[in-house]
Amino acid sequence: MGWLVWIGLLGAVVVGLARLRASFLTWSLVVASGLLVAGLADLLAPLPGLVAWTVFLLVAIPLNVPALRRMLLSEPMLARTRAVLPPMSQTERDAIESGTVWWEAELFGGDPRWERLLRVAPPTLTPEEQAFLDGPVEELCNMLNDWEITHELNDLPPDVWDFIKQKRFFGMIIPQEFGGLGFSALAHSEVVMKLASRSVSAAVTVMVPNSLGPAELLLHYGTEDQKRHYLPRLAKGEEIPCFALTGPWAGSDAGSIPDRGVVCKQRFQGREVLGLRVTWEKRYITLGPVATVLGLAFKAYDPDHLVGDREELGITCALIPTNTPGVHIGRRHYPTGAAFQNGPNSGQDVFIPMEWVIGGQQNLGRGWRMLVESLSAGRGISLPALGTGSGKLVARVTGAYARVREQFKVPIGRFEGVEEALARIGGWAYLMDAARLLTAAAVDAGEKPAVTTAIVKYHLTEGMRRVVDDAMDVHGGRGICMGPANYLARVHQTVPISITVEGANILTRSMIIFGQGAMRCHPYLVREIRAATDPDPVAGAEAFDQALFAHMGFTLTNAARSLVYGLTRGRLAPAPVMGATAKYYQRLARMSAAFAFLADLTLLFLGGSLKRREKLSGRFADALSFMYLCSASLKRFQDNGQPEAELPLVEWACKYSLYQVQNALDEILRNFPARTLGQFLRLIVFPLGRRFRYPNDALGHAVASVLLAPSDVRDRLTSGIYCSEDPADPTGRVEYALRRLLEAEPVERRLRSAREVCPPHVAYDDWLDDLVKRRVVDAGEARALRESRRATRAAIDVDDFPPSRAHEAAADVAA
Ligand SMILES: Cc1cc2nc3c(=O)[nH]c(=O)nc-3n(C[C@H](O)[C@H](O)[C@H](O)COP(=O)(O)OP(=O)(O)OC[C@H]3O[C@@H](n4cnc5c(N)ncnc54)[C@H](O)[C@@H]3O)c2cc1C
């Protein structure tokens, strides 16, 4: 009993110190006091007491006495750090330093301050933004016929192009003073999400001018003249922009573009001006074939020193009217399943005056920084909205389809195998929307959260892939046969586009999320690297020592927190709420501490070589990402007022995320480069083993059930997408069938219990007439049954074509 009290006391002290983020010195003083008390209370026999004191003094004295610490620890470590620090190019440095850090830094640090998350204002639209969604966006959705766009026209129809321009869809991010809509990131996200639930081609067309491109670059870096000239014209759709970075030789490694602009003087519009002679070859450029203004990234050189001493100026961005002589643009690529405009462009020795450089001459060579800064916010809005729009569409329509489609006389959604897929769809739709909303709120609060936006770009497009694959399986042949009635196959075909653009996903996961996260979110790493690369060796050594000492306290605190939270299964961790979700906050805090500790030790052990260990880095990225998705789900539940009916969704999202975090950390430990160290770290990360489980069958059943019938929670889960109950509309006809089926269900049930079954040799309508005649059902009930049957048939129907058209359709699919 006495021992239990002492152990409890020890646990309380450790938790207290961990919560207070105690320094190494404080830890040392507390351990010394503990040993003293243990000695006085006769808890330690003389020999173990002597051993404990010796070990303690051997560690504590050298580390707490600055001169000794420097000699024994920080100077050798500084020398090693200087030797192993990988060389970093300016483009890498810019990418790492771009944007801000936000909630992800809390998760990275091991002790998330929940109030920081819960303080973020719940997402709200202004009345103007809501009116735009209810008016022009709804109207545009009604105009879109994706089969016509993707199969017949391979483009948006002219009236749709006109409508988009006239209603200023291309000017959502342009402030009202320049004639744009001046929308928040949330409103921008809502517009793209709704359009994506109708037509990916239309969503991408609208998204691109509002994402990383001329408008965004002009707003932040343009000269006043450039802003005044271009922004009103872009807002009204009088100019169609594109932005060209990628080329045949530079895809993911965009910093290596070979396109060049040489500073020179040339006659232009009747006078000699300073400018650049630009040569480039680009491909995959969205809106390129129809663009009137080409945003171009190239590397500027000044061999004749016309603007300064340097010859290599670096990546530069310029705006070039596409009717400039020498610009070759207009040919198209055909990205899989989509009909938005996309194609190559090139130019050979095209002269552009200096005022076409975005921001003018002073921005020569600043292009890369401009691009990564813009990307650090932009990639968190458009593609995540597109992925979530598809996810919500799939959740709504697949649930309805699984209810109306029967096999073996049972709705297929009631089979456990299908239910598993439906649970994943529902759970992921919740996770995706939560992360989308939280990230948009951060951007609206002025953050450019580079790591968070990489996380949502990756996971919300991967989530789209996952749910669309599941939806295809649930739909069977109904999802496969192409035609106007098919609302799924085009989404399925376009998934790889979202995966590839704005940072291809493999690269984003394995290189960017943790690579950038470690540099930006770790409280001491950058300080240590800066100190190690300080040109003044004395100041560098001093700064390095201080950072290292603080770092040791941080590591120790996270180790203690991880161990104690692990032993108590998170119960000692703080939770900012009461009720059913409190335990998920605690478990997340536990995983955050384990992550922080493991990340720290891995960085210490591998140093710069972690850059090449993409498998480890990818798993750290997964752990960090799922902690973010989990916290976003908790925040969403809180913002929604903790509705009881939403509990299965948030529980599924949390359990699933925590399970993924656990698996990622487990895989890191299993593959840790030093086996023994890995085993030791496991004791601290998982002291009681791996306790988190995949959401169980009962929870999966509850989530799947949300999708199978109309309800408030189903409406909330799929809110903001285009919804129709029009039996003439491809998705509307499935929803219509679901409603009719549910109306007829009580009568069907009554007939079944009265053993009234349509005989196999009798037509269904004749059987209904007979039932009316026999007064088993009345005329209204017969009508409901007939309409339910008819609507179900329409919902499960697929298109067929005369042989010549079928050949065309097949050719289209092959293309
Ligand atoms: C439909 C479409 C629209 C586009 N629109 C535009 C546009 O408007 N403007 C523009 O400038 N560009 C645009 N792009 C280009 C897009 O950004 C690039 O396709 C993307 O950067 C990837 O380049 P890549 O296709 O050459 O693939 P690659 O760079 O060849 O990559 C191939 C694979 O290797 C992986 N990979 C590469 N390097 C690493 C690494 N270090 N670690 C791990 N994995 C790695 C990638 O993740 C990817 O999976 C568009 C592309 C498409 C398909």
PDB file of all heavy atoms in Angstrom, residues 208 243-246 250-253 283-286 335 340 342 497 500-507 510-511 614, ligand 1:
ATOM      1  N   VAL A 208      -9.149  27.374 -60.639  1.00  0.00           N
ATOM      2  CA  VAL A 208      -7.768  27.736 -60.993  1.00  0.00           C
ATOM      3  C   VAL A 208      -7.505  29.243 -60.944  1.00  0.00           C
ATOM      4  O   VAL A 208      -6.528  29.673 -60.324  1.00  0.00           O
ATOM      5  CB  VAL A 208      -7.379  27.078 -62.330  1.00  0.00           C
ATOM      6  CG1 VAL A 208      -6.115  27.695 -62.917  1.00  0.00           C
ATOM      7  CG2 VAL A 208      -7.161  25.593 -62.078  1.00  0.00           C
ATOM      8  N   PHE A 243      -1.454  29.835 -65.113  1.00  0.00           N
ATOM      9  CA  PHE A 243      -0.122  29.997 -64.548  1.00  0.00           C
ATOM     10  C   PHE A 243       0.745  28.803 -64.928  1.00  0.00           C
ATOM     11  O   PHE A 243       0.382  27.650 -64.670  1.00  0.00           O
ATOM     12  CB  PHE A 243      -0.158  30.152 -63.021  1.00  0.00           C
ATOM     13  CG  PHE A 243       1.186  30.591 -62.536  1.00  0.00           C
ATOM     14  CD1 PHE A 243       1.561  31.919 -62.658  1.00  0.00           C
ATOM     15  CD2 PHE A 243       2.115  29.677 -62.069  1.00  0.00           C
ATOM     16  CE1 PHE A 243       2.827  32.332 -62.293  1.00  0.00           C
ATOM     17  CE2 PHE A 243       3.385  30.081 -61.704  1.00  0.00           C
ATOM     18  CZ  PHE A 243       3.740  31.423 -61.817  1.00  0.00           C
ATOM     19  N   ALA A 244       1.887  29.095 -65.548  1.00  0.00           N
ATOM     20  CA  ALA A 244       2.714  28.031 -66.128  1.00  0.00           C
ATOM     21  C   ALA A 244       4.040  27.925 -65.395  1.00  0.00           C
ATOM     22  O   ALA A 244       4.893  28.808 -65.498  1.00  0.00           O
ATOM     23  CB  ALA A 244       2.945  28.333 -67.604  1.00  0.00           C
ATOM     24  N   LEU A 245       4.160  26.830 -64.666  1.00  0.00           N
ATOM     25  CA  LEU A 245       5.413  26.534 -63.959  1.00  0.00           C
ATOM     26  C   LEU A 245       6.002  25.229 -64.518  1.00  0.00           C
ATOM     27  O   LEU A 245       7.159  25.152 -64.889  1.00  0.00           O
ATOM     28  CB  LEU A 245       5.114  26.400 -62.459  1.00  0.00           C
ATOM     29  CG  LEU A 245       6.250  25.967 -61.539  1.00  0.00           C
ATOM     30  CD1 LEU A 245       7.368  27.005 -61.544  1.00  0.00           C
ATOM     31  CD2 LEU A 245       5.753  25.792 -60.100  1.00  0.00           C
ATOM     32  N   THR A 246       5.143  24.210 -64.630  1.00  0.00           N
ATOM     33  CA  THR A 246       5.610  22.865 -64.980  1.00  0.00           C
ATOM     34  C   THR A 246       6.010  22.765 -66.449  1.00  0.00           C
ATOM     35  O   THR A 246       5.363  23.337 -67.321  1.00  0.00           O
ATOM     36  CB  THR A 246       4.470  21.857 -64.730  1.00  0.00           C
ATOM     37  OG1 THR A 246       3.963  22.077 -63.418  1.00  0.00           O
ATOM     38  CG2 THR A 246       4.934  20.430 -64.878  1.00  0.00           C
ATOM     39  N   ALA A 250      10.810  19.619 -65.695  1.00  0.00           N
ATOM     40  CA  ALA A 250      10.632  19.968 -64.285  1.00  0.00           C
ATOM     41  C   ALA A 250       9.175  19.805 -63.882  1.00  0.00           C
ATOM     42  O   ALA A 250       8.316  20.587 -64.291  1.00  0.00           O
ATOM     43  CB  ALA A 250      11.084  21.405 -64.036  1.00  0.00           C
ATOM     44  N   GLY A 251       8.908  18.737 -63.113  1.00  0.00           N
ATOM     45  CA  GLY A 251       7.552  18.490 -62.601  1.00  0.00           C
ATOM     46  C   GLY A 251       7.544  18.789 -61.110  1.00  0.00           C
ATOM     47  O   GLY A 251       7.468  19.945 -60.699  1.00  0.00           O
ATOM     48  N   SER A 252       7.695  17.723 -60.304  1.00  0.00           N
ATOM     49  CA  SER A 252       7.732  17.925 -58.855  1.00  0.00           C
ATOM     50  C   SER A 252       8.899  18.821 -58.452  1.00  0.00           C
ATOM     51  O   SER A 252       8.774  19.638 -57.538  1.00  0.00           O
ATOM     52  CB  SER A 252       7.896  16.576 -58.145  1.00  0.00           C
ATOM     53  OG  SER A 252       6.815  15.749 -58.459  1.00  0.00           O
ATOM     54  N   ASP A 253      10.009  18.654 -59.125  1.00  0.00           N
ATOM     55  CA  ASP A 253      11.182  19.476 -58.818  1.00  0.00           C
ATOM     56  C   ASP A 253      11.077  20.777 -59.605  1.00  0.00           C
ATOM     57  O   ASP A 253      11.881  21.076 -60.497  1.00  0.00           O
ATOM     58  CB  ASP A 253      12.448  18.693 -59.213  1.00  0.00           C
ATOM     59  CG  ASP A 253      13.717  19.441 -58.842  1.00  0.00           C
ATOM     60  OD1 ASP A 253      13.619  20.443 -58.103  1.00  0.00           O
ATOM     61  OD2 ASP A 253      14.793  19.023 -59.306  1.00  0.00           O
ATOM     62  N   ARG A 283       4.082  22.515 -69.977  1.00  0.00           N
ATOM     63  CA  ARG A 283       2.978  21.586 -70.292  1.00  0.00           C
ATOM     64  C   ARG A 283       2.059  21.442 -69.080  1.00  0.00           C
ATOM     65  O   ARG A 283       2.403  21.880 -67.988  1.00  0.00           O
ATOM     66  CB  ARG A 283       3.503  20.221 -70.730  1.00  0.00           C
ATOM     67  CG  ARG A 283       4.269  19.484 -69.659  1.00  0.00           C
ATOM     68  CD  ARG A 283       4.693  18.113 -70.146  1.00  0.00           C
ATOM     69  NE  ARG A 283       5.378  17.377 -69.112  1.00  0.00           N
ATOM     70  CZ  ARG A 283       5.883  16.170 -69.258  1.00  0.00           C
ATOM     71  NH1 ARG A 283       5.801  15.539 -70.414  1.00  0.00           N
ATOM     72  NH2 ARG A 283       6.477  15.560 -68.254  1.00  0.00           N
ATOM     73  N   TYR A 284       0.917  20.829 -69.344  1.00  0.00           N
ATOM     74  CA  TYR A 284      -0.118  20.572 -68.311  1.00  0.00           C
ATOM     75  C   TYR A 284      -0.776  21.850 -67.801  1.00  0.00           C
ATOM     76  O   TYR A 284      -1.288  21.869 -66.662  1.00  0.00           O
ATOM     77  CB  TYR A 284       0.435  19.853 -67.078  1.00  0.00           C
ATOM     78  CG  TYR A 284       1.188  18.569 -67.278  1.00  0.00           C
ATOM     79  CD1 TYR A 284       2.166  18.163 -66.366  1.00  0.00           C
ATOM     80  CD2 TYR A 284       0.900  17.720 -68.350  1.00  0.00           C
ATOM     81  CE1 TYR A 284       2.846  16.979 -66.512  1.00  0.00           C
ATOM     82  CE2 TYR A 284       1.597  16.524 -68.502  1.00  0.00           C
ATOM     83  CZ  TYR A 284       2.562  16.157 -67.591  1.00  0.00           C
ATOM     84  OH  TYR A 284       3.235  14.988 -67.726  1.00  0.00           O
ATOM     85  N   ILE A 285      -0.781  22.924 -68.515  1.00  0.00           N
ATOM     86  CA  ILE A 285      -1.188  24.201 -67.933  1.00  0.00           C
ATOM     87  C   ILE A 285      -2.711  24.393 -68.036  1.00  0.00           C
ATOM     88  O   ILE A 285      -3.268  24.499 -69.137  1.00  0.00           O
ATOM     89  CB  ILE A 285      -0.431  25.376 -68.594  1.00  0.00           C
ATOM     90  CG1 ILE A 285       1.076  25.088 -68.551  1.00  0.00           C
ATOM     91  CG2 ILE A 285      -0.776  26.693 -67.909  1.00  0.00           C
ATOM     92  CD1 ILE A 285       1.640  24.730 -67.176  1.00  0.00           C
ATOM     93  N   THR A 286      -3.354  24.453 -66.874  1.00  0.00           N
ATOM     94  CA  THR A 286      -4.818  24.554 -66.829  1.00  0.00           C
ATOM     95  C   THR A 286      -5.262  25.944 -67.278  1.00  0.00           C
ATOM     96  O   THR A 286      -4.685  26.944 -66.852  1.00  0.00           O
ATOM     97  CB  THR A 286      -5.316  24.240 -65.407  1.00  0.00           C
ATOM     98  OG1 THR A 286      -4.821  22.946 -65.074  1.00  0.00           O
ATOM     99  CG2 THR A 286      -6.833  24.219 -65.341  1.00  0.00           C
ATOM    100  N   PRO A 335      -6.833  15.634 -69.936  1.00  0.00           N
ATOM    101  CA  PRO A 335      -6.646  14.963 -68.632  1.00  0.00           C
ATOM    102  C   PRO A 335      -7.784  13.974 -68.389  1.00  0.00           C
ATOM    103  O   PRO A 335      -8.936  14.257 -68.733  1.00  0.00           O
ATOM    104  CB  PRO A 335      -6.709  16.109 -67.621  1.00  0.00           C
ATOM    105  CG  PRO A 335      -6.590  17.362 -68.409  1.00  0.00           C
ATOM    106  CD  PRO A 335      -7.082  17.063 -69.783  1.00  0.00           C
ATOM    107  N   PHE A 340     -11.881  20.196 -68.620  1.00  0.00           N
ATOM    108  CA  PHE A 340     -11.407  21.574 -68.470  1.00  0.00           C
ATOM    109  C   PHE A 340     -10.232  21.797 -69.429  1.00  0.00           C
ATOM    110  O   PHE A 340      -9.571  20.856 -69.860  1.00  0.00           O
ATOM    111  CB  PHE A 340     -11.032  21.887 -67.019  1.00  0.00           C
ATOM    112  CG  PHE A 340      -9.972  21.012 -66.417  1.00  0.00           C
ATOM    113  CD1 PHE A 340      -8.622  21.257 -66.642  1.00  0.00           C
ATOM    114  CD2 PHE A 340     -10.310  19.943 -65.603  1.00  0.00           C
ATOM    115  CE1 PHE A 340      -7.645  20.456 -66.079  1.00  0.00           C
ATOM    116  CE2 PHE A 340      -9.342  19.133 -65.034  1.00  0.00           C
ATOM    117  CZ  PHE A 340      -8.006  19.390 -65.277  1.00  0.00           C
ATOM    118  N   ASN A 342      -6.736  22.486 -70.757  1.00  0.00           N
ATOM    119  CA  ASN A 342      -5.411  22.218 -70.221  1.00  0.00           C
ATOM    120  C   ASN A 342      -4.490  21.922 -71.398  1.00  0.00           C
ATOM    121  O   ASN A 342      -4.886  21.211 -72.314  1.00  0.00           O
ATOM    122  CB  ASN A 342      -5.503  21.003 -69.278  1.00  0.00           C
ATOM    123  CG  ASN A 342      -4.174  20.678 -68.619  1.00  0.00           C
ATOM    124  OD1 ASN A 342      -3.320  20.046 -69.220  1.00  0.00           O
ATOM    125  ND2 ASN A 342      -4.009  21.112 -67.391  1.00  0.00           N
ATOM    126  N   ILE A 497      -6.091  13.411 -60.990  1.00  0.00           N
ATOM    127  CA  ILE A 497      -5.710  14.812 -61.247  1.00  0.00           C
ATOM    128  C   ILE A 497      -5.472  15.519 -59.921  1.00  0.00           C
ATOM    129  O   ILE A 497      -4.441  16.165 -59.714  1.00  0.00           O
ATOM    130  CB  ILE A 497      -6.805  15.539 -62.068  1.00  0.00           C
ATOM    131  CG1 ILE A 497      -6.978  14.857 -63.431  1.00  0.00           C
ATOM    132  CG2 ILE A 497      -6.454  17.014 -62.241  1.00  0.00           C
ATOM    133  CD1 ILE A 497      -8.113  15.424 -64.265  1.00  0.00           C
ATOM    134  N   THR A 500      -2.316  14.524 -58.274  1.00  0.00           N
ATOM    135  CA  THR A 500      -1.054  14.930 -58.901  1.00  0.00           C
ATOM    136  C   THR A 500      -0.731  16.419 -58.782  1.00  0.00           C
ATOM    137  O   THR A 500       0.428  16.788 -58.627  1.00  0.00           O
ATOM    138  CB  THR A 500      -1.079  14.527 -60.396  1.00  0.00           C
ATOM    139  OG1 THR A 500      -1.256  13.123 -60.461  1.00  0.00           O
ATOM    140  CG2 THR A 500       0.193  14.906 -61.119  1.00  0.00           C
ATOM    141  N   VAL A 501      -1.769  17.273 -58.872  1.00  0.00           N
ATOM    142  CA  VAL A 501      -1.469  18.710 -58.983  1.00  0.00           C
ATOM    143  C   VAL A 501      -1.193  19.361 -57.615  1.00  0.00           C
ATOM    144  O   VAL A 501      -1.494  18.777 -56.593  1.00  0.00           O
ATOM    145  CB  VAL A 501      -2.602  19.468 -59.733  1.00  0.00           C
ATOM    146  CG1 VAL A 501      -2.758  18.914 -61.131  1.00  0.00           C
ATOM    147  CG2 VAL A 501      -3.915  19.390 -58.987  1.00  0.00           C
ATOM    148  N   GLU A 502      -0.631  20.544 -57.662  1.00  0.00           N
ATOM    149  CA  GLU A 502      -0.274  21.338 -56.466  1.00  0.00           C
ATOM    150  C   GLU A 502       0.524  20.530 -55.438  1.00  0.00           C
ATOM    151  O   GLU A 502       0.230  20.535 -54.245  1.00  0.00           O
ATOM    152  CB  GLU A 502      -1.534  21.965 -55.831  1.00  0.00           C
ATOM    153  CG  GLU A 502      -2.153  23.023 -56.735  1.00  0.00           C
ATOM    154  CD  GLU A 502      -3.154  23.937 -56.048  1.00  0.00           C
ATOM    155  OE1 GLU A 502      -3.329  23.850 -54.829  1.00  0.00           O
ATOM    156  OE2 GLU A 502      -3.768  24.747 -56.763  1.00  0.00           O
ATOM    157  N   GLY A 503       1.514  19.786 -55.943  1.00  0.00           N
ATOM    158  CA  GLY A 503       2.346  18.946 -55.075  1.00  0.00           C
ATOM    159  C   GLY A 503       1.829  17.527 -55.136  1.00  0.00           C
ATOM    160  O   GLY A 503       0.865  17.186 -54.445  1.00  0.00           O
ATOM    161  N   ALA A 504       2.480  16.692 -55.974  1.00  0.00           N
ATOM    162  CA  ALA A 504       2.003  15.306 -56.154  1.00  0.00           C
ATOM    163  C   ALA A 504       2.025  14.600 -54.795  1.00  0.00           C
ATOM    164  O   ALA A 504       2.904  14.856 -53.960  1.00  0.00           O
ATOM    165  CB  ALA A 504       2.874  14.596 -57.171  1.00  0.00           C
ATOM    166  N   ASN A 505       1.043  13.718 -54.597  1.00  0.00           N
ATOM    167  CA  ASN A 505       0.813  13.231 -53.231  1.00  0.00           C
ATOM    168  C   ASN A 505       1.950  12.431 -52.610  1.00  0.00           C
ATOM    169  O   ASN A 505       2.216  12.571 -51.416  1.00  0.00           O
ATOM    170  CB  ASN A 505      -0.497  12.428 -53.181  1.00  0.00           C
ATOM    171  CG  ASN A 505      -1.677  13.349 -52.987  1.00  0.00           C
ATOM    172  OD1 ASN A 505      -1.542  14.570 -53.058  1.00  0.00           O
ATOM    173  ND2 ASN A 505      -2.857  12.787 -52.745  1.00  0.00           N
ATOM    174  N   ILE A 506       2.603  11.595 -53.415  1.00  0.00           N
ATOM    175  CA  ILE A 506       3.683  10.796 -52.795  1.00  0.00           C
ATOM    176  C   ILE A 506       4.734  11.749 -52.239  1.00  0.00           C
ATOM    177  O   ILE A 506       5.196  11.614 -51.099  1.00  0.00           O
ATOM    178  CB  ILE A 506       4.312   9.814 -53.820  1.00  0.00           C
ATOM    179  CG1 ILE A 506       3.299   8.762 -54.249  1.00  0.00           C
ATOM    180  CG2 ILE A 506       5.543   9.144 -53.210  1.00  0.00           C
ATOM    181  CD1 ILE A 506       3.820   7.724 -55.238  1.00  0.00           C
ATOM    182  N   LEU A 507       5.081  12.729 -53.040  1.00  0.00           N
ATOM    183  CA  LEU A 507       6.081  13.718 -52.609  1.00  0.00           C
ATOM    184  C   LEU A 507       5.582  14.513 -51.392  1.00  0.00           C
ATOM    185  O   LEU A 507       6.311  14.730 -50.422  1.00  0.00           O
ATOM    186  CB  LEU A 507       6.361  14.664 -53.781  1.00  0.00           C
ATOM    187  CG  LEU A 507       7.181  15.900 -53.479  1.00  0.00           C
ATOM    188  CD1 LEU A 507       8.597  15.713 -53.988  1.00  0.00           C
ATOM    189  CD2 LEU A 507       6.570  17.109 -54.138  1.00  0.00           C
ATOM    190  N   SER A 510       5.753  12.070 -48.376  1.00  0.00           N
ATOM    191  CA  SER A 510       7.017  11.515 -47.920  1.00  0.00           C
ATOM    192  C   SER A 510       8.106  12.560 -47.751  1.00  0.00           C
ATOM    193  O   SER A 510       9.120  12.286 -47.135  1.00  0.00           O
ATOM    194  CB  SER A 510       7.475  10.396 -48.854  1.00  0.00           C
ATOM    195  OG  SER A 510       7.348  10.801 -50.186  1.00  0.00           O
ATOM    196  N   MET A 511       7.903  13.746 -48.299  1.00  0.00           N
ATOM    197  CA  MET A 511       8.975  14.735 -48.212  1.00  0.00           C
ATOM    198  C   MET A 511       8.530  16.017 -47.516  1.00  0.00           C
ATOM    199  O   MET A 511       9.260  16.573 -46.703  1.00  0.00           O
ATOM    200  CB  MET A 511       9.409  15.075 -49.634  1.00  0.00           C
ATOM    201  CG  MET A 511      10.873  15.355 -49.767  1.00  0.00           C
ATOM    202  SD  MET A 511      11.190  15.626 -51.492  1.00  0.00           S
ATOM    203  CE  MET A 511      12.537  16.739 -51.366  1.00  0.00           C
ATOM    204  N   GLU A 614      12.543   8.506 -46.743  1.00  0.00           N
ATOM    205  CA  GLU A 614      11.173   8.959 -47.008  1.00  0.00           C
ATOM    206  C   GLU A 614      10.125   8.030 -46.406  1.00  0.00           C
ATOM    207  O   GLU A 614       9.005   8.446 -46.163  1.00  0.00           O
ATOM    208  CB  GLU A 614      10.961   9.097 -48.513  1.00  0.00           C
ATOM    209  CG  GLU A 614      11.706  10.280 -49.108  1.00  0.00           C
ATOM    210  CD  GLU A 614      11.177  10.662 -50.475  1.00  0.00           C
ATOM    211  OE1 GLU A 614      10.418   9.886 -51.077  1.00  0.00           O
ATOM    212  OE2 GLU A 614      11.534  11.763 -50.931  1.00  0.00           O
TER     213      GLU A 614
HETATM  214  C1  LIG B   1      -4.449  18.068 -65.061  1.00  0.00           C
HETATM  215  C2  LIG B   1      -3.245  18.794 -64.618  1.00  0.00           C
HETATM  216  C3  LIG B   1      -3.302  20.168 -64.424  1.00  0.00           C
HETATM  217  C4  LIG B   1      -2.147  20.870 -64.095  1.00  0.00           C
HETATM  218  N1  LIG B   1      -2.172  22.241 -64.021  1.00  0.00           N
HETATM  219  C5  LIG B   1      -1.002  22.924 -63.898  1.00  0.00           C
HETATM  220  C6  LIG B   1      -0.963  24.330 -64.020  1.00  0.00           C
HETATM  221  O1  LIG B   1      -1.978  24.992 -64.220  1.00  0.00           O
HETATM  222  N2  LIG B   1       0.235  24.958 -63.921  1.00  0.00           N
HETATM  223  C7  LIG B   1       1.395  24.262 -63.697  1.00  0.00           C
HETATM  224  O2  LIG B   1       2.454  24.876 -63.636  1.00  0.00           O
HETATM  225  N3  LIG B   1       1.399  22.913 -63.550  1.00  0.00           N
HETATM  226  C8  LIG B   1       0.230  22.237 -63.667  1.00  0.00           C
HETATM  227  N4  LIG B   1       0.220  20.871 -63.546  1.00  0.00           N
HETATM  228  C9  LIG B   1       1.454  20.181 -63.246  1.00  0.00           C
HETATM  229  C10 LIG B   1       1.500  19.481 -61.895  1.00  0.00           C
HETATM  230  O3  LIG B   1       1.731  20.408 -60.892  1.00  0.00           O
HETATM  231  C11 LIG B   1       2.608  18.417 -62.017  1.00  0.00           C
HETATM  232  O4  LIG B   1       2.033  17.385 -62.772  1.00  0.00           O
HETATM  233  C12 LIG B   1       3.111  17.936 -60.716  1.00  0.00           C
HETATM  234  O5  LIG B   1       3.926  18.915 -60.147  1.00  0.00           O
HETATM  235  C13 LIG B   1       3.916  16.643 -60.828  1.00  0.00           C
HETATM  236  O6  LIG B   1       4.845  16.694 -61.870  1.00  0.00           O
HETATM  237  P1  LIG B   1       4.916  15.489 -62.927  1.00  0.00           P
HETATM  238  O7  LIG B   1       3.539  15.228 -63.402  1.00  0.00           O
HETATM  239  O8  LIG B   1       5.939  15.838 -63.926  1.00  0.00           O
HETATM  240  O9  LIG B   1       5.351  14.229 -62.081  1.00  0.00           O
HETATM  241  P2  LIG B   1       6.817  13.865 -61.568  1.00  0.00           P
HETATM  242  O10 LIG B   1       7.465  15.031 -60.942  1.00  0.00           O
HETATM  243  O11 LIG B   1       7.548  13.163 -62.659  1.00  0.00           O
HETATM  244  O12 LIG B   1       6.479  12.858 -60.396  1.00  0.00           O
HETATM  245  C14 LIG B   1       6.093  11.514 -60.634  1.00  0.00           C
HETATM  246  C15 LIG B   1       5.912  10.813 -59.295  1.00  0.00           C
HETATM  247  O13 LIG B   1       7.128  10.846 -58.547  1.00  0.00           O
HETATM  248  C16 LIG B   1       6.873  11.364 -57.249  1.00  0.00           C
HETATM  249  N5  LIG B   1       8.052  12.094 -56.800  1.00  0.00           N
HETATM  250  C17 LIG B   1       8.793  12.996 -57.462  1.00  0.00           C
HETATM  251  N6  LIG B   1       9.791  13.434 -56.701  1.00  0.00           N
HETATM  252  C18 LIG B   1       9.691  12.804 -55.512  1.00  0.00           C
HETATM  253  C19 LIG B   1      10.418  12.825 -54.283  1.00  0.00           C
HETATM  254  N7  LIG B   1      11.474  13.583 -54.089  1.00  0.00           N
HETATM  255  N8  LIG B   1      10.003  12.039 -53.287  1.00  0.00           N
HETATM  256  C20 LIG B   1       8.931  11.234 -53.429  1.00  0.00           C
HETATM  257  N9  LIG B   1       8.200  11.182 -54.558  1.00  0.00           N
HETATM  258  C21 LIG B   1       8.579  11.945 -55.579  1.00  0.00           C
HETATM  259  C22 LIG B   1       5.671  12.252 -57.395  1.00  0.00           C
HETATM  260  O14 LIG B   1       4.975  12.374 -56.157  1.00  0.00           O
HETATM  261  C23 LIG B   1       4.849  11.497 -58.423  1.00  0.00           C
HETATM  262  O15 LIG B   1       4.109  10.517 -57.762  1.00  0.00           O
HETATM  263  C24 LIG B   1      -0.943  20.169 -63.862  1.00  0.00           C
HETATM  264  C25 LIG B   1      -0.909  18.774 -63.997  1.00  0.00           C
HETATM  265  C26 LIG B   1      -2.031  18.101 -64.387  1.00  0.00           C
HETATM  266  C27 LIG B   1      -1.937  16.626 -64.565  1.00  0.00           C
END
